[in-house]
Amino acid sequence: MTKKYDVVVVGSGVAGLGTAAILARDFQQKVLVLERNPFIGGRLASFVGKGNKVYIDGVELDANGFRRALALAGAWIPKCTPDLETCFKEGLFDGYTIDTGHGLFWGNKGKIRMLMNYLEKPVDMPCNVGFAFVDYKKGNKAYQVAKGEAYKWMSEQGFRSTMIALRDMAVMTLEDIAQTAHMSFEQWLMARNVHKEAYDYIKVLAASQTGQADLRLTPAPDVLGHMAAAGPIKMNLVEGSCATVANPGTISFALLMEQVIKNNGGEVLRNSPVVEVIIDNAVVKGVTYQTAKGIETVSADRVICNIPSKQMLNVIHPRYFSHDVVDTVQNKFWGAGMITGYGNMKSDVWKEKGIEERSFIYMPDVIGAEEGYSGCIDMVLWNLANCAEGSNSSPELTSEIGSAPKGKHGWIFSTAMTHEEMRTPQKVQRVVEWNENWWKRTFGAKKWTSDMEYMLWMSTDHAFAWIQPIGQDRIDVKSPTIEGLYFAGDQYGKRLWGCGVDAAALSATLCIDSMMGSNTEEKVFPFYHRALPSPRKAW
């Protein structure tokens, strides 16, 4: 006999697990979550090194297994020094937590933490300590920024223009931001005639928040929403606003959400790829999915698709969408990709430069757009390992603290690129080589050899989201044509803003409220973290 569920969730990302957890706990819905991979969490993938292996969600991996797991999460390794097999053989990842690259903003005051608090499963999210800036084009000088002081790498006019633009963003309401829904952030900035120095600084700030390096392609609300929240949250880059998660990393969110689902009668199945969402006469009837024993079918009146928009047409036939929607998703959505270099060092190399090693560091415009990039390459440098020192992600998951062995010093290179750039090996290699050569020039080639125990580069072509074209709305959380079909994820929700895990957390509540007629969004989030209101109509 076919099993019957109230709701089936396809995919186990933040929004998929979040909707399932709340529906099971708050609304007593019988839920089933189907995940194609042997681990849950989607792009939350994080790995913990133990001896000469790494682990994710209880799965033990060698070098080849690690590559395959990354591929399942949409990531790959363009370069590793020493080579990956040597790193595993010598146990160089032992004691380290390696994430696939995420933007976790506002730490314990961010959206994902608010959702975890609501589920009574908090995750500690320690932030950067300090903010610094490397002016590569003017002598490669590094500046530690103190709260309230002028930016020393800028002219007086550039700093004033920067402060005015930041103030304009900080005082915006969600109603104001809703009016920019079909505007690019580039258009918003240009309307204010900002100084070039201000533009260059705000550009890297926006890219670090959204993973979108080309402001011409960046929806204005994705940036403005973040900046408007800074005031009510009372956080800033200097005092700390960018977060990380200690062992076992960002997958902590997924593992704890799964506990809520199971504790309330729900099920989460791994290695269960969905073959098709069953739809009859424009009404959802259930899903078919693959198991080790063959094809299984379950019935449900409601199905939530938590698969990224580019992949959703693999399980929901394109005939159920308009031609315009299919064409836009397949040909016009673009991926906000990311390339990240994870390193481990024996010493604090920033100390000699007068920089706090736990600072969030901007180094903009290192490779120009004239080399064929959508926007110039702006680097973010950070030390996740030392920011997480002393932190326990969740006592329910582990008694271990931190994300690196004691006495070690982490290093991160990171930059945003489009999915097309990420899929061009020459452009990826150019970024990798530039950064490694910059490090050797700045701190010394001998120190690179003696201090850098490994440098692991990881790429993903949609680390943050698949982004809709400027001027178009996101796909909404409720299908207008198929009864019982819903969507949840960092790209779903007409009123959604932002991307990554925080947007996914918000999308989960929008999906639930659309389905249940509830006010979950208001229960979970304070006003500054909520979705955009509907734009005011002009006369």
Side-chain angles (χ1 to χ4, degrees), residues 114-132:
M114 298 289 179
L115 177 59
M116 301 309 294
N117 287 351
Y118 181 74
L119 293 172
E120 300 179 296
K121 298 287 184 180
V123 174
D124 188 38
M125 300 172 65
C127 288
N128 61 293
V129 180
F131 171 56

Side-chain angles (χ1 to χ4, degrees), residues 68-112:
R68 289 194 296 270
L70 286 175
L72 291 173
W76 64 93
I77 301 171
K79 184 180 181 182
C80 184
T81 306
D83 63 83
L84 194 64
E85 282 70 22
T86 299
C87 286
F88 273 82
K89 182 179 179 180
E90 297 183 1
L92 296 183
F93 299 144
D94 183 36
Y96 291 93
T97 300
I98 302 172
D99 275 311
T100 51
H102 302 280
L104 300 174
F105 290 93
W106 309 129
N108 290 326
K109 295 182 180 180
K111 288 190 186 72
I112 184 62

Side-chain angles (χ1 to χ4, degrees), residues 172 176-192 212 215-224 467-473 532:
M172 293 183 78
D176 297 330
I177 296 170
Q179 300 308 307
T180 72
H182 291 167
M183 181 186 297
S184 73
F185 188 55
E186 169 99 352
Q187 291 170 318
W188 189 90
L189 276 180
M190 291 298 97
R192 279 146 187 82
Q212 302 171 48
L215 302 189
R216 297 169 299 177
L217 303 176
T218 303
D222 287 1
V223 181
L224 298 175
I467 310 297
Q468 77 278 8
I470 297 300
Q472 295 196 21
D473 293 325
L532 301 176

Side-chain angles (χ1 to χ4, degrees), residues 433-472:
E433 291 178 354
W434 190 96
N435 279 281
E436 292 190 356
N437 289 334
W438 169 84
W439 199 104
K440 294 170 186 176
R441 291 193 304 270
T442 302
F443 302 106
K446 289 184 178 179
K447 203 166 192 66
W448 174 273
T449 302
S450 64
D451 262 41
M452 192 70 77
E453 294 185 333
Y454 66 81
M455 175 56 66
L456 170 68
W457 287 91
M458 288 193 289
S459 300
T460 174
D461 58 7
H462 62 290
F464 281 80
W466 290 104
I467 310 297
Q468 77 278 8
I470 297 300
Q472 295 196 21

Side-chain angles (χ1 to χ4, degrees), residues 104 107-109 112-113 116-117 121-127 243-250 252-253 256 387-395 397 401-402:
L104 300 174
N108 290 326
K109 295 182 180 180
I112 184 62
R113 175 59 190 261
M116 301 309 294
N117 287 351
K121 298 287 184 180
V123 174
D124 188 38
M125 300 172 65
C127 288
T244 185
V245 178
N247 179 329
T250 50
S252 301
F253 304 126
L256 290 168
C387 291
E389 191 173 359
S391 172
N392 173 260
S393 60
S394 168
L397 296 177
I401 61 173

Side-chain angles (χ1 to χ4, degrees), residues 219-405:
D222 287 1
V223 181
L224 298 175
H226 279 290
M227 299 308 298
I233 290 178
K234 301 188 186 313
M235 295 180 74
N236 57 68
L237 272 175
V238 174
E239 296 174 305
S241 62
C242 301
T244 185
V245 178
N247 179 329
T250 50
I251 200 174
S252 301
F253 304 126
L255 297 175
L256 290 168
M257 288 178 185
E258 181 185 30
Q259 289 183 10
V260 177
I261 295 167
K262 289 185 173 181
N263 290 343
N264 290 276
E267 298 176 58
V268 179
L269 301 183
R270 295 158 176 79
N271 294 306
S272 301
V274 169
V275 177
E276 184 180 14
V277 175
I278 303 170
I279 299 171
D280 184 29
N281 290 323
V283 177
V284 162
K285 297 297 182 181
V287 302
T288 59
Y289 66 98
Q290 182 77 44
T291 73
K293 297 180 180 180
I295 298 293
E296 295 281 347
T297 298
V298 294
S299 63
D301 296 328
R302 286 159 292 162
V303 169
I304 299 173
C305 175
N306 181 223
I307 299 175
S309 52
K310 281 276 191 179
Q311 286 77 43
M312 71 173 179
L313 299 176
N314 295 334
V315 298
I316 306 172
H317 198 282
R319 67 176 175 270
Y320 297 116
F321 300 92
S322 70
H323 172 76
D324 287 344
V325 168
V326 173
D327 178 65
T328 299
V329 169
Q330 289 183 331
N331 301 314
K332 298 177 183 177
F333 274 43
W334 66 279
M338 177 182 290
I339 180 168
T340 303
Y342 286 91
N344 172 61
M345 301 178 299
K346 298 176 182 177
S347 65
D348 175 7
V349 297
W350 278 117
K351 189 174 182 179
E352 64 186 62
K353 306 291 183 183
I355 301 298
E356 160 61 59
E357 68 171 333
R358 295 169 295 172
S359 295
F360 202 68
I361 303 170
Y362 286 160
M363 184 167 63
D365 199 12
V366 300
I367 302 175
E370 68 275 5
E371 293 196 29
Y373 293 88
S374 176
C376 61
I377 298 298
D378 302 316
M379 297 307 304
V380 168
L381 314 175
W382 199 16
N383 178 347
L384 291 173
N386 293 87
C387 291
E389 191 173 359
S391 172
N392 173 260
S393 60
S394 168
E396 293 190 50
L397 296 177
T398 180
S399 61
E400 297 182 13
I401 61 173
S403 58

